[in-house]
Amino acid sequence: MNRSGKRVVWLAVAGVLLALAAWIQPYELIRVTGGSMMPTYCDGQLLVGVKAFWLRGEPFRRGEVVMCRVGGEKLLKRIYALPGDEVVIFSLDDGFHVMVQAENYLRYYQLAEGIGHARIRRFEVPEHGLFLLGDAPNVSLDSRDFGPVPEADVIARIR
């Protein structure tokens, strides 16, 4: 093999090693896009998350912020409910939504009846699923729209 051929082989090996190093490193650099996590995180802000692969086996917690993949899009959201939880959403005519855990259902149902007509939707979070919400619910695309997300779709956890 001539000198030029050896150089190509070494460049290829170096490229593969760099790609492998980037893939196995435990951190994910995340740029916040949009206002769905305001006021916690602002549009354009940079965050560092730990790749979910490195935290497998560590249980998810309510209130934890994660980046997940939904329909080919990466979304940054907060965990609202865990597997086995039931979430009830009261949607009032003026667009106001009340989110409750199932144990508070009756109290909020009576409140919604006193306010006016409310549509009621229920989600039971399946095993290995998460119910995710944005911190700014009026502008957030989240589990109210697409339902619970599989834990396997979590890309990174914000620490």
Side-chain angles (χ1 to χ4, degrees):
M1 185 178 296
N2 63 20
R3 181 177 262 177
S4 151
K6 287 181 182 178
R7 185 176 300 144
V8 169
V9 169
W10 280 111
L11 286 173
V13 169
V16 167
L17 289 175
L18 283 172
L20 182 61
W23 182 75
I24 64 171
Q25 62 88 20
Y27 300 104
E28 176 90 18
L29 189 60
I30 300 164
R31 179 176 300 279
V32 178
T33 56
S36 72
M37 289 302 290
M38 292 282 289
T40 311
Y41 303 115
C42 301
D43 185 35
Q45 185 175 353
L46 284 177
L47 305 173
V48 175
V50 177
K51 289 182 180 177
F53 172 82
W54 294 102
L55 296 173
R56 66 183 182 273
E58 183 180 318
F60 288 97
R61 300 177 316 272
R62 279 183 196 82
E64 180 177 14
V65 176
V66 297
M67 183 172 66
C68 62
R69 187 175 310 279
V70 176
E73 205 174 331
K74 291 180 180 180
L75 302 175
L76 188 68
K77 302 295 172 197
R78 187 175 304 278
I79 298 173
Y80 179 77
L82 298 169
D85 289 346
E86 186 175 22
V87 178
V88 180
I89 303 172
F90 295 93
S91 300
L92 304 179
D93 290 334
D94 62 1
F96 180 74
H97 300 287
V98 178
M99 306 281 303
V100 298
Q101 297 291 332
E103 62 268 10
N104 293 320
Y105 175 78
L106 286 177
R107 182 169 51 124
Y108 282 96
Y109 181 74
Q110 291 167 347
L111 171 69
E113 276 194 330
I115 293 173
H117 180 70
R119 288 171 308 287
I120 301 170
R121 291 185 296 155
R122 301 174 90 127
F123 291 93
E124 185 167 328
V125 183
E127 185 176 356
H128 305 294
L130 302 168
F131 196 89
L132 307 174
L133 295 176
D135 287 354
N138 292 340
V139 297
S140 182
L141 176 68
D142 51 36
S143 287
R144 294 171 300 166
D145 304 296
F146 46 73
V149 173
E151 291 175 351
D153 290 349
V154 172
I155 299 166
R157 298 164 83 168
I158 307 306
R159 297 290 176 181

